[in-house]
């Protein structure tokens, strides 16, 4: 009788986030090895470029199915930039679209079973958020010069609580980096961990045997619903990351 | 590590998820406000739904901060 416990069974639900160096490479004292994370990131970039070029290969005025999906992404990002940034923000549209595309593809590729979610690592999302934050600061300094620091003082504040308001605004400005990156990272990580835990229940129920082989349908159906929810969360988190980037960029460009 | 530390970690992780009650109330308030605002003025899918999704994601982030603290306590 084939023992079902001998097959591939990971020890803990957090094991799916391990970064495995596939080709170890050490350059100037930095660890530049090719890991499974970098393979999936290269795959996301390649798929997004490949699919974006392929759907407009024979573009029709009334779009087919694939082209319609791409147009929905384009239209969402365009309304985002138009609503939050206005006319002056159209020059940032390629960047916003690239940001939305890469986070969406990284999130969605992670939904494939046994694959790796690149955005479920705080290193990736924090690096991205920090780069965007530094870029927004540079844009702010270029646009407004030294008057950039008036962003910390909203209009119409009574004089005696000005130090408190400036301190609060400064802290909330710095914490933006952390919240935007932790939101994306924690959503992805907790979603995938939950999926792994429920799948572990299904597996354990099957391996006990007896009546549980029929009762395992219940966590399996729950798993199906959760996968649907996770795909929704993947789309939503990409949208919210991009929306918040647009809002912060608008704050910097216009708050004077 | 000894057993007392491990059980204290489990208790701490369980206590840390108490913070999710506020988030549950908050998400309910966001979508309840959507229902009321839609009933007053059905200009949905232009502004209201967009703001609701933004509000939901921002509130959900607090849930994930609490959950992240619980996992930090449990696993380190």
């Amino acid at each position: 009788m084939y023992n079902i416990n001998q097959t591939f069974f990971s020890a803990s639900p957090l094991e799916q986030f391990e970064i495995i160096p596939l080709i170890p490479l050490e350059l100037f004292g930095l660890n530049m090895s090719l890991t499974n994370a970098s393979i999936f990131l290269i795959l996301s970039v390649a798929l997004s470029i490949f699919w974006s070029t392929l759907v407009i290969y024979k573009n029709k005025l009334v779009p087919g199915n694939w082209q319609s999906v791409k147009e929905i992404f384009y239209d969402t990002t365009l309304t985002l930039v138009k609503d939050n940034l206005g006319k002056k923000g159209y020059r940032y549209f390629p960047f916003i679209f690239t940001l939305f595309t890469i986070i969406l593809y990284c999130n969605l590729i992670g939904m494939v079973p046994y694959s790796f979610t690149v955005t479920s690592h705080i290193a990736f999302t924090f690096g991205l958020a920090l780069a965007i934050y530094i870029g927004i600061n540079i844009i702010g300094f270029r646009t407004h010069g030294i008057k950039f620091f008036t962003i910390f003082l909203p209009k119409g504040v009574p004089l005696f609580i000005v130090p408190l308001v400036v301190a609060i605004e400064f802290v909330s400005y710095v914490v933006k980096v952390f919240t935007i990156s932790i939101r994306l990272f924690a959503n992805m990580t907790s979603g995938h961990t939950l999926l792994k835990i429920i799948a572990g229940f299904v597996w354990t129920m099957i391996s006990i045997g007896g009546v549980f082989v029929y009762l395992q349908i219940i966590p399996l159906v729950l798993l199906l619903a959760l996968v649907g929810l996770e795909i929704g969360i993947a789309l939503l988190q990409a949208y919210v990351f991009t929306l918040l980037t647009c809002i912060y960029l608008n704050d910097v460009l216009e708050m004077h | 590590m000894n057993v007392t530390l491990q059980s204290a970690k489990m208790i701490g992780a369980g206590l840390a998820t108490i913070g999710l009650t506020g988030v549950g109330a908050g998400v309910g308030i966001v979508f309840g406000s959507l229902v009321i605002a839609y009933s007053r003025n059905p200009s949905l899918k232009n502004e209201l739904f967009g703001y609701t999704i933004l509000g939901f994601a921002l509130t959900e982030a607090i849930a994930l901060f609490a959950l992240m603290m619980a996992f930090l306590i449990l696993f380190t």
Side-chain angles (χ1 to χ4, degrees):
Chain A
M1 175 72 181
Y2 187 63
N3 189 3
I4 207 166
N5 279 328
Q6 274 176 352
T7 49
F8 178 54
F9 181 65
S10 31
S12 89
L14 294 179
E15 213 178 59
Q16 55 181 321
F17 301 118
E18 269 181 11
I19 294 186
I20 305 169
L22 298 167
I23 302 179
L25 188 61
E26 184 98 4
L27 278 178
F28 313 115
L30 292 173
N31 186 13
M32 298 256 199
S33 45
L34 189 71
T35 71
N36 55 350
S38 33
I39 293 228
F40 273 95
L41 188 57
I42 292 173
L43 181 70
S44 298
V45 170
L47 264 182
S48 69
I49 295 176
F50 182 63
W51 193 29
S52 298
T53 350
L54 206 61
V55 293
I56 58 175
Y57 176 61
K58 279 200 243 184
N59 48 355
K60 311 189 171 96
L61 197 56
V62 177
N65 291 337
W66 289 102
Q67 188 183 343
S68 183
V69 173
K70 261 311 188 196
E71 286 192 4
I72 288 176
F73 291 160
Y74 189 87
D75 191 44
T76 309
T77 324
L78 194 59
T79 13
L80 208 57
V81 172
K82 196 166 54 154
D83 285 342
N84 288 310
L85 281 171
K87 273 286 183 200
K88 66 188 180 315
Y90 278 145
R91 57 194 301 202
Y92 301 113
F93 175 72
F95 165 62
I96 301 291
F97 186 68
T98 311
L99 186 65
F100 179 70
T101 304
I102 192 63
I103 296 180
L104 184 70
Y105 272 77
C106 284
N107 285 352
L108 283 178
I109 282 180
M111 287 315 299
V112 172
Y114 290 119
S115 79
F116 184 84
T117 320
V118 180
T119 46
S120 72
H121 283 273
I122 187 71
F124 180 72
T125 59
F126 187 70
L128 187 59
L130 190 65
I132 292 173
Y133 181 71
I134 291 176
I136 288 179
N137 279 334
I138 292 177
I139 291 174
F141 271 113
R142 274 191 169 210
T143 320
H144 295 284
I146 198 65
K147 285 197 190 162
F148 173 68
F149 289 107
T150 63
I151 199 179
F152 297 130
L153 190 60
K155 280 197 195 317
V157 171
L159 195 57
F160 53 95
I161 58 169
V162 160
L164 187 63
V165 167
V166 168
I168 292 177
E169 289 280 334
F170 185 72
V171 167
S172 100
Y173 190 72
V174 170
V175 117
K176 274 179 196 172
V177 185
F178 294 97
T179 65
I180 206 176
S181 64
I182 290 178
R183 176 180 298 116
L184 180 57
F185 143 73
N187 261 303
M188 287 298 119
T189 309
S190 67
H192 286 258
T193 310
L194 182 64
L195 285 180
K196 199 67 111 177
I197 290 176
I198 302 273
F201 286 165
V202 177
W203 198 244
T204 319
M205 278 177 139
I206 295 180
S207 69
I208 289 178
V211 71
F212 284 105
V213 175
Y214 300 105
L215 280 184
Q216 49 107 328
I217 294 293
I218 302 173
L220 204 58
V221 168
L222 179 64
L223 191 65
L224 180 66
L226 279 176
V227 166
L229 178 71
E230 273 310 301
I231 293 180
I233 296 260
L235 292 165
L236 180 69
Q237 286 307 313
Y239 179 73
V240 165
F241 194 101
T242 318
L243 174 65
L244 285 171
T245 305
C246 288
I247 289 178
Y248 297 154
L249 192 54
N250 189 32
D251 273 347
V252 157
L253 284 178
E254 208 186 279
M255 202 56 195
H256 304 286
Chain B
M1 64 190 80
N2 53 359
V3 179
T4 315
L5 184 60
Q6 183 63 26
S7 53
K9 282 185 181 188
M10 294 210 174
I11 294 177
L15 286 175
T17 59
I18 293 178
L20 295 172
T21 57
V23 172
V27 172
I29 285 177
V30 167
F31 281 95
S33 305
L34 171 67
V35 172
I36 290 179
Y38 184 55
S39 70
R40 279 174 183 258
N41 180 14
S43 74
L44 193 59
K45 288 190 177 66
N46 289 342
E47 300 242 7
L48 289 175
F49 196 66
Y51 287 145
T52 304
I53 292 299
L54 174 65
F56 165 73
L58 289 176
T59 312
E60 190 86 2
I62 309 298
L64 290 156
F65 295 162
L67 216 58
M68 190 186 61
M69 285 313 299
F71 282 151
L72 265 174
I73 292 176
L74 187 56
F75 288 122
T76 66

